[in-house]
Amino acid sequence: MKIVFGDLRTEVLYLPLWRKLPLPRSRRCNRAVETLNHMIRLMIAERRTSNVQRNDLLGMLLAERDEHGSIMSDQQVHDEVLTMFLAGHETSALTLTWALFLLAKHPEIQERAAQEAFLITTGLGLLPEDYEKLVYIRAVVQETVRLYPPVWSLGRSTRRDTTIGGLTVRRGTHV
Ligand code: HEM
């Protein structure tokens, strides 16, 4: 994850051709991607062969059927899992890290957040239906991502000549 994410930041400047050459960076990144792929292949194979039905995201993807009643291929499930894994990993980790940092700096807010958690979960652990009741904690998280956005930049390619904020942007520009 660290290698793939580290490289993502400068990926814009790295040409697809270089990725195919045996340069140190390409080899390191391709190896890391292969490790991720291998891990996910194992997870899917393990779940498909076991009879255990688990009510989690992978369980939902494996049970899903399209309009013809067909299940997803291993490759389709794989791609979905990889997307969720990449998109959900560092974003959540950064949000939690900064939220805990901010709470540590503001003990009175930490106390109120803890009280809300105890009140809502009554010591039984968090249930999906609890989330909407965590009003104060949601505010803490929202303030955290406002102050320390985990995704502070996004890339887009223009499909036609256009104007953004008064600037002319040519088709095919990476913004
Ligand atoms: C605080 C946590 C998170 C933040 C700040 C965040 C932020 C974002 C942003 C800004 C986008 C839009 C990207 C774009 O348009 O180019 C996005 C898309 C996405 N995120 Fe998150 N995300 C978070 C957590 C998660 C988690 C936990 C998951 C999954 C387990 C996830 C899965 C996705 C997926 C699949 C997309 C693509 C949606 C689509 O284009 O159809 N995200 N996220």
Side-chain angles (χ1 to χ4, degrees):
M1 290 299 294
K2 210 169 154 189
I3 290 168
V4 172
F5 269 114
D7 283 358
L8 267 188
R9 304 229 159 79
T10 49
E11 193 61 22
V12 171
L13 306 171
Y14 202 72
L15 300 178
L17 172 67
W18 298 350
R19 168 86 46 244
K20 296 205 170 78
L21 300 175
L23 300 169
R25 173 182 164 142
S26 303
R27 291 172 60 178
R28 199 186 51 210
C29 189
N30 292 342
R31 248 202 325 268
V33 170
E34 190 37 53
T35 303
L36 283 173
N37 282 335
H38 179 67
M39 237 180 65
I40 289 169
R41 271 197 300 272
L42 281 182
M43 270 165 51
I44 295 171
E46 223 175 83
R47 201 64 87 79
R48 278 229 205 268
T49 48
S50 82
N51 289 325
V52 188
Q53 276 272 342
R54 279 176 52 190
N55 185 22
D56 58 11
L57 192 57
L58 183 55
M60 286 159 76
L61 289 170
L62 291 174
E64 200 56 54
R65 302 202 170 256
D66 69 11
E67 61 275 28
H68 310 296
S70 311
I71 56 168
M72 286 196 216
S73 69
D74 277 355
Q75 188 59 50
Q76 281 173 315
V77 176
H78 185 114
D79 292 347
E80 294 292 339
V81 171
L82 189 61
T83 302
M84 293 298 172
F85 200 67
L86 292 177
H89 196 112
E90 201 181 58
T91 44
S92 310
L94 282 172
T95 306
L96 280 172
T97 304
W98 286 117
L100 294 176
F101 167 80
L102 286 169
L103 286 174
K105 283 184 69 160
H106 301 278
E108 69 292 353
I109 292 176
Q110 176 167 298
E111 187 52 39
R112 239 182 107 177
Q115 271 171 15
E116 185 183 71
F118 283 127
L119 198 75
I120 302 296
T121 61
T122 57
L124 290 175
L126 195 63
L127 301 170
E129 55 269 32
D130 291 336
Y131 285 111
E132 63 186 82
K133 296 182 215 144
L134 296 170
V135 179
Y136 193 73
I137 290 176
R138 180 174 316 120
V140 168
V141 172
Q142 283 177 344
E143 182 63 356
T144 303
V145 293
R146 186 184 73 83
L147 289 170
Y148 299 102
V151 183
W152 50 267
S153 74
L154 279 177
R156 287 289 187 268
S157 298
T158 46
R159 297 176 68 179
R160 55 177 169 79
D161 293 350
T162 187
T163 315
I164 304 175
L167 295 171
T168 306
V169 183
R170 291 236 167 273
R171 173 173 179 255
T173 307
H174 209 87
V175 183

